[in-house]
Amino acid sequence: MSEHLPHSGVASCIFNCCLLLLGHRSSFGKAAEEAYFREKLLSFKWSHKPTAFVLQNVFPSQDPLDRADFNAVEYINTLFPTEQSLANIDEVVNKIRLKIRRLDDNIRTVVRGQTNVGQDGRQALEEAQKAIQQLFGKIKDIKDKAEKSEQMVKEITRDIKQLDHAKRHLTTSITTLNHLHMLAGGVDSLEAMTRRRQYGEVANLLQGVVNVLEHFNKYMGIPQIRQLSERVKAAQNELGQQILADFEEAFPSQGTKVAWLDKIDRRYAWIKRQLVDYEEKYGRMFPQEWCMTERIAVEFCHVTRTELAKIMRTRAKEIEVKLLLFAIQRTTNFEGLLAKRFSGCTLADGTVKKPEVPLPSTNPFLEDETGTETDEIVIEKSDTDKPKKPKVPDNPFHGIVSKCFEPHLYVYIESQDKNLGELIDRFVADFKAQGPPKPNVDEGGAVLPSCADLFVYYKKCMVQCSQLSTGEPMIALTTIFQKYLREYAWKILSGNLPKTTSSSGGLTITSLLKEKEGSEVAKFTLEELCLICSILSTAEYCLATTQQVSFPLQHL
């Protein structure tokens, strides 16, 4: 047989071959079966390939007839590759005929089954619709019964809910009334205990009243509740003021007594102990350039200055000059001790400067403080020869505490005014009692000793005042000096000049220094001449000393 047939005659050739193989040319003359076979062959040849491929994937088969790309010519050539193979054509035809018969049976069964399935499907659909309708009816009945049950339950529980609400509201009302009763009683008790100063009972009661009052925060719109709240706040304020007043009444006498100026050295002794204890325990914990010990001391000085100023304002009438000078002396001694121990690096603009010289390992606060009273300064004549410019204090801590005494130095000025008045009166009494100095021709007029005493006292006052202040107190002190220099000049010098008969107004220093031509020279005894010379020398000494004293005052 030919291996390749023309495409246009493929179907006809295959059909003729099949008829030949099956013996239908002479014996198989049924037109219907022939037409059926022809239709099957043609439909099999020209079946839709995509559908065939899908069927191949769904129903896999190894039969060449089931392949989508089946070629009848190739299949026949495969069955009969040579002319000799046509000898078993009968056997092949029988197999094909058997297979065709089986396929026909299967097709008939499937077609008949599909006809029955349609009828069964319609019947099943009708049965399903009926079941759905029955289900809908049952659901509706259940829903109606549920609504009826719900309505019944609501009717049953309506009264129970009302009773439950009534119970809850009644419980809340009873609780609120109890709290209100506790609040009203607690406020009354709180006010009564506050008046009786029963602080132990008030402490527990007040906390309870405040806790109960918190339950009424949402009822503050009620006037009675708001009134109780205001009473509680008023009781709290009154209690706080009362306790504070009791503390002030109980402690100020002792506290003021300990903090007064006569106990000021206790302050400085305390800070010394604290600084020693600090350096022993914590000194090595901080870098040396932080100057922590100095910072503590400086802070103590600031606090002490503030507290001393406050207490001196309160007890200004109790300040005496001796007490003031004692406090100033102890304070300046303490400031000097600070200057020996610290460099004052923390006082400059609040910044810390590393000290140039390393701090000594020993603590000067451990040394015994040898504070001595200032001795009287005696002015020798050599001191008045050359004026000295006052030395600016190099103590960086000068005034860090003692500045608080400056507003009260008027006590010192008033005391010096009184003392100088008494001193002038004593000079006058001594001059009258001792008389004029004895005449000494060799020495001439001697300076009165009272003049030196006066300027010694002046210098002592100036030194003390310069240590305290160089401001308004020093100006006031110079005014006092002027006042008593005039009194000394009038009462001691001019008041003790000899009397003359020619001058009705008496002899004065000005008249002694004037020389008038043709005037009659007054005649004086030797004692009177010595007295006049002594008074003139004293006046000259006073002038020179006053000029020298005024020089340092101008540079203060």
Side-chain angles (χ1 to χ4, degrees):
M1 299 184 73
S2 177
E3 296 182 359
H4 301 285
L5 298 177
H7 180 70
S8 60
V10 170
S12 176
C13 180
I14 292 174
F15 176 70
N16 294 328
C17 290
C18 290
L19 291 179
L20 177 62
L21 292 174
L22 296 174
H24 279 60
R25 286 186 181 269
S26 61
S27 60
F28 190 75
K30 295 181 180 179
E33 190 170 355
E34 181 180 351
Y36 175 76
F37 184 76
R38 182 184 295 274
E39 183 179 359
K40 290 291 184 182
L41 182 61
L42 293 175
S43 62
F44 182 80
K45 172 64 181 175
W46 304 108
S47 61
H48 195 266
K49 288 186 177 182
T51 305
F53 280 116
V54 172
L55 293 175
Q56 179 69 23
N57 294 329
V58 175
F59 303 104
S61 176
Q62 300 297 328
D63 192 348
L65 296 174
D66 295 331
R67 294 178 59 183
D69 56 349
F70 173 74
N71 192 332
V73 177
E74 291 181 0
Y75 180 69
I76 294 173
N77 290 334
T78 303
L79 293 177
F80 305 105
T82 60
E83 294 181 358
Q84 290 77 11
S85 60
L86 294 175
N88 57 351
I89 190 172
D90 294 332
E91 182 179 357
V92 174
V93 169
N94 292 331
K95 290 182 179 180
I96 292 175
R97 186 176 291 149
L98 178 61
K99 189 171 183 179
I100 291 172
R101 189 179 296 113
R102 289 178 181 175
L103 289 174
D104 290 338
D105 294 339
N106 292 335
I107 290 171
R108 293 189 190 96
T109 302
V110 171
V111 171
R112 292 172 183 172
Q114 291 296 325
T115 303
N116 296 332
V117 166
Q119 295 176 356
D120 295 339
R122 283 191 297 273
Q123 184 178 358
L125 179 61
E126 293 176 357
E127 292 177 357
Q129 290 176 350
K130 292 180 181 179
I132 291 172
Q133 291 177 356
Q134 293 176 0
L135 180 62
F136 282 159
K138 292 181 180 180
I139 292 174
K140 185 177 180 181
D141 294 340
I142 294 172
K143 183 177 179 182
D144 295 338
K145 291 180 180 180
E147 291 177 354
K148 292 179 180 179
S149 300
E150 183 180 2
Q151 185 66 26
M152 187 180 300
V153 170
K154 286 182 179 179
E155 292 177 356
I156 295 173
T157 59
R158 182 182 297 111
D159 297 335
I160 298 176
K161 287 183 178 180
Q162 292 178 354
L163 292 175
D164 185 53
H165 289 317
K167 178 183 177 181
R168 185 163 58 252
H169 293 162
L170 184 61
T171 303
T172 304
S173 301
I174 293 173
T175 304
T176 304
L177 288 175
N178 289 334
H179 287 162
L180 181 60
H181 178 71
M182 293 170 58
L183 180 61
V187 171
D188 294 337
S189 301
L190 180 63
E191 293 175 347
M193 290 179 181
T194 301
R195 288 191 297 269
R196 292 194 296 268
R197 300 179 184 275
Q198 297 176 347
Y199 299 134
E201 293 79 0
V202 167
N204 297 326
L205 179 60
L206 180 60
Q207 185 62 40
V209 170
V210 172
N211 292 337
V212 173
L213 187 60
E214 291 178 355
H215 295 283
F216 294 93
N217 289 333
K218 55 184 177 181
Y219 303 113
M220 286 301 170
I222 302 175
Q224 291 79 4
I225 302 298
R226 186 169 60 252
Q227 183 180 2
L228 287 174
S229 176
E230 292 174 355
R231 289 175 61 186
V232 172
K233 292 180 181 178
Q236 287 178 319
N237 295 334
E238 182 181 358
L239 188 62
Q241 296 175 359
Q242 187 171 294
I243 292 174
L244 182 60
D246 291 344
F247 273 106
E248 291 177 352
E249 183 179 353
F251 294 102
S253 57
Q254 180 180 0
T256 305
K257 183 177 180 181
V258 174
W260 191 225
L261 299 180
D262 57 345
K263 303 295 190 302
I264 196 171
D265 49 352
R266 294 187 182 181
R267 293 175 179 265
Y268 305 133
W270 177 85
I271 190 60
K272 292 176 188 177
R273 293 193 300 269
Q274 297 301 319
L275 291 176
V276 170
D277 185 64
Y278 170 81
E279 288 197 346
E280 290 177 354
K281 293 181 179 179
Y282 311 108
R284 297 182 180 180
M285 293 185 180
F286 300 97
Q288 190 177 16
E289 58 269 17
W290 286 14
C291 304
M292 294 302 296
T293 308
E294 180 178 339
R295 289 182 178 276
I296 296 174
V298 170
E299 183 64 22
F300 167 80
C301 292
H302 292 328
V303 174
T304 301
R305 185 181 67 230
T306 303
E307 294 301 321
L308 286 177
K310 187 185 302 181
I311 194 172
M312 283 192 293
R313 283 196 303 270
T314 305
R315 303 176 60 179
K317 296 181 180 180
E318 302 179 30
I319 300 177
E320 298 178 354
V321 62
K322 292 183 179 180
L323 181 62
L324 182 63
L325 293 179
F326 169 79
I328 293 174
Q329 179 194 358
R330 291 291 187 267
T331 303
T332 53
N333 290 342
F334 176 72
E335 292 173 350
L337 190 62
L338 292 179
K340 289 195 299 182
R341 173 61 180 88
F342 304 117
S343 63
C345 59
T346 61
L347 299 176
D349 298 332
T351 57
V352 178
K353 298 179 180 179
K354 187 174 181 180
E356 298 179 358
V357 181
L359 297 175
S361 59
T362 58
N363 191 340
F365 288 112
L366 297 174
E367 301 175 0
D368 294 333
E369 180 180 351
T370 58
T372 59
E373 298 290 341
T374 306
D375 297 329
E376 289 189 356
I377 302 175
V378 180
I379 299 181
E380 301 292 341
K381 289 187 177 181
S382 60
D383 295 338
T384 60
D385 292 340
K386 295 181 180 181
K388 297 180 180 179
K389 186 176 181 180
K391 184 179 180 181
V392 178
D394 55 356
N395 180 2
F397 296 93
H398 177 72
I400 190 172
V401 180
S402 58
K403 195 172 183 62
C404 66
F405 299 109
E406 186 170 339
H408 304 277
L409 288 179
Y410 67 89
V411 178
Y412 174 76
I413 302 301
E414 293 175 355
S415 175
Q416 298 306 323
D417 189 2
K418 181 180 178 182
N419 292 340
L420 284 171
E422 294 176 355
L423 185 63
I424 294 298
D425 293 340
R426 183 167 61 85
F427 289 162
V428 173
D430 291 344
F431 190 86
K432 291 180 179 180
Q434 298 175 4
K438 295 181 180 181
N440 191 339
V441 179
D442 296 335
E443 295 182 1
V447 177
L448 297 177
S450 61
C451 180
D453 294 339
L454 178 63
F455 280 100
V456 166
Y457 194 84
Y458 274 13
K459 185 170 184 179
K460 177 182 177 181
C461 294
M462 288 178 58
V463 171
Q464 287 182 341
C465 189
S466 63
Q467 293 176 351
L468 306 179
S469 174
T470 58
E472 293 295 333
M474 180 63 74
I475 297 175
L477 185 63
T478 56
T479 304
I480 299 297
F481 289 169
Q482 294 175 1
K483 172 183 174 182
Y484 286 99
L485 274 176
R486 292 190 182 95
E487 289 195 9
Y488 185 83
W490 284 107
K491 293 181 179 181
I492 304 298
L493 300 182
S494 297
N496 290 310
L497 287 174
K499 306 296 182 181
T500 58
T501 56
S502 61
S503 177
S504 59
L507 188 63
T508 62
I509 296 177
T510 305
S511 62
L512 288 174
L513 297 178
K514 288 182 179 180
E515 294 183 357
K516 296 182 180 179
E517 295 182 359
S519 61
E520 183 179 356
V521 179
K523 295 181 179 180
F524 299 101
T525 62
L526 181 60
E527 290 79 5
E528 291 176 343
L529 290 175
C530 290
L531 176 60
I532 293 172
C533 291
S534 179
I535 291 174
L536 291 175
S537 298
T538 302
E540 184 180 4
Y541 176 80
C542 290
L543 177 61
T545 306
T546 302
Q547 292 175 348
Q548 293 173 359
V549 169
S550 64
F551 179 79
L553 288 176
Q554 295 173 359
H555 293 80
L556 288 177

